[in-house]
Amino acid sequence: MGHTNWLNEEEMSAWIAFISAATLVDRELDQQLKEDMGLSHLQYQILMTLNRAESGAMRMTELAERIINSKSGLTYQIGQMEKAGLVTRRQCEWSKSGVLAEITPEGRATLERAAPGHVEAVREVLIDVLTPEERKAVADGLGRVRDRIAERKQGGTCW
């Protein structure tokens, strides 16, 4: 077996702060959205991502990658959101086996109603806590982490 490059105190402190903060921020945002709108944080992310997509639709595979969720988890969420009238599913025009998720007018209206409270919560638990320099460092550092992982997972087709 090879040598393990253990984390030093500074590295361990950064790691623990990251995983604790990420978990707590997600919980706070999930709770706020559920209380205000009856949506989970993941469902809000789905609506936001579809709303920003050209034509309001996206391949399920690409959507799963963008919101960082499993295909089966996304399929479940889309099913629940479809029942609520927030999204629809349809076949990819270019692939008989592919499926697109599309935001509905009700989904757009729900997102519009949810956004102000969500932005306020994001500001309260993250943005306003950090200085502009810290926000830039967080965005730069975590952006590099995201890009490194994304490079390893290139590809994706309709499913």
Side-chain angles (χ1 to χ4, degrees), residues 34-128:
K34 283 182 180 169
E35 288 174 2
D36 290 359
M37 298 298 301
L39 290 174
S40 69
H41 191 209
L42 179 57
Q43 290 170 336
Y44 181 88
Q45 288 179 288
I46 291 167
L47 290 175
M48 185 182 67
T49 303
L50 290 174
N51 191 57
R52 295 181 68 184
E54 191 174 323
S55 78
M58 188 177 285
R59 292 180 324 202
M60 293 282 285
T61 299
E62 184 181 357
L63 182 57
E65 290 171 1
R66 289 251 181 110
I67 64 165
I68 310 167
N69 200 298
S70 67
K71 291 177 184 179
S72 62
L74 177 64
T75 298
Y76 173 78
Q77 290 298 324
I78 292 292
Q80 296 301 305
M81 295 171 75
E82 199 170 27
K83 289 176 189 171
L86 304 175
V87 299
T88 59
R89 282 184 271 199
R90 61 183 166 91
Q91 188 174 356
C92 289
E93 293 105 24
W94 61 90
S95 171
K96 289 191 187 275
S97 64
V99 176
L100 292 172
E102 184 170 24
I103 191 168
T104 64
E106 178 60 27
R108 287 185 198 278
T110 299
L111 182 61
E112 191 173 308
R113 288 190 310 273
H118 182 65
V119 169
E120 187 176 308
V122 168
R123 284 197 164 283
E124 182 182 327
V125 300
L126 180 68
I127 300 302
D128 293 345

